[in-house]
Amino acid sequence: MEKKADRRFYLKHFKAISHAISTYEDLNKLMKHLAEGTGRTFKAKGCCIMLFDEIERRLIHMASYGVSEVYLDKGPLFINDEDSAFSTGQPVFIEDMRNDPRVQYPEAASEEGIVSMLSIPIKCRKAIVGILRIYYGEPWMLHEEDIDSLCVLTGLLGLVIDNSGLRNFQLKVMDALDSLPPRMLEG
């Protein structure tokens, strides 16, 4: 008899995280709480949220839970794998981090005790703005509804990230306008 994956993410979790995404004022605090909540909900070794730096063309660590600073500082994560969640825009599950050619730092994963990883793209409209990664220290079976729920939540997070960037831009424009002499603001 084939073993089925246990469901880990239920409506109560979805509602709590959706509420947090829609109400947090501080984006950094939101990402820290999402990383911790996701790691705890899925009973994972850890969780990490990384955002895409369009200028450097790499992922930048923003928040994590259960993963050491040594692992997080292992080196830059460049976007160059056509099979990655970032490139495909689809969730990617890596069952064995030590023996998968898509893994950039397999030795670091092994030293950290990470066996498998789920990567889910954080999207805003059609753009991929980051990645949510869930790390496991043992073999893991995924439930499709859990993956679907996480995809919806990372889509909401993507909108919040995009809106935060627009809000920051608007504030800078308003500050620049405030510094202009009044004669330049007339007609």
Side-chain angles (χ1 to χ4, degrees), residues 39 42-47 65-67 109 112-115 134-137:
F42 284 92
K43 296 181 174 100
K45 175 167 183 36
C47 182
Y65 168 78
V67 185
E112 186 73 13
I114 297 172
V115 173
I134 304 172
Y135 303 104
Y136 277 87

Side-chain angles (χ1 to χ4, degrees), residues 52 54 85-90 121-131:
F52 182 57
E54 293 182 36
F86 190 88
S87 299
T88 65
Q90 298 298 317
I122 299 170
K123 298 179 186 179
C124 181
R125 298 169 190 86
K126 293 185 180 187
I128 299 173
V129 298
I131 295 285

Side-chain angles (χ1 to χ4, degrees), residues 4 11 17 25 34-35 49 53 59 65 70 75 90 96 116 125 149 155:
K4 292 183 80 173
L11 183 58
I17 293 173
E25 293 288 327
L34 280 175
I49 297 173
D53 180 335
L59 293 168
Y65 168 78
V70 171
Q90 298 298 317
D96 185 354
S116 51
R125 298 169 190 86
S149 294

Side-chain angles (χ1 to χ4, degrees), residues 79-149:
I79 307 303
N80 57 5
D81 182 2
E82 60 194 40
D83 294 328
S84 72
F86 190 88
S87 299
T88 65
Q90 298 298 317
V92 170
F93 179 65
I94 296 177
E95 190 171 351
D96 185 354
M97 295 280 287
R98 297 164 300 209
N99 298 311
D100 193 302
R102 296 172 291 185
V103 178
Q104 243 178 305
Y105 301 103
E107 299 85 20
S110 183
E111 288 172 15
E112 186 73 13
I114 297 172
V115 173
S116 51
M117 174 183 73
L118 173 64
S119 288
I120 298 179
I122 299 170
K123 298 179 186 179
C124 181
R125 298 169 190 86
K126 293 185 180 187
I128 299 173
V129 298
I131 295 285
L132 170 82
R133 288 188 171 162
I134 304 172
Y135 303 104
Y136 277 87
E138 55 196 41
W140 185 41
M141 292 182 66
L142 302 164
H143 195 285
E144 280 301 314
E145 288 184 36
D146 288 341
I147 296 171
D148 288 345
S149 294

Side-chain angles (χ1 to χ4, degrees), residues 62-82:
M62 298 303 294
S64 63
Y65 168 78
V67 185
S68 74
E69 288 297 319
V70 171
Y71 183 73
L72 295 172
D73 293 337
K74 64 191 169 297
L77 295 171
F78 293 102
I79 307 303
N80 57 5
D81 182 2
E82 60 194 40

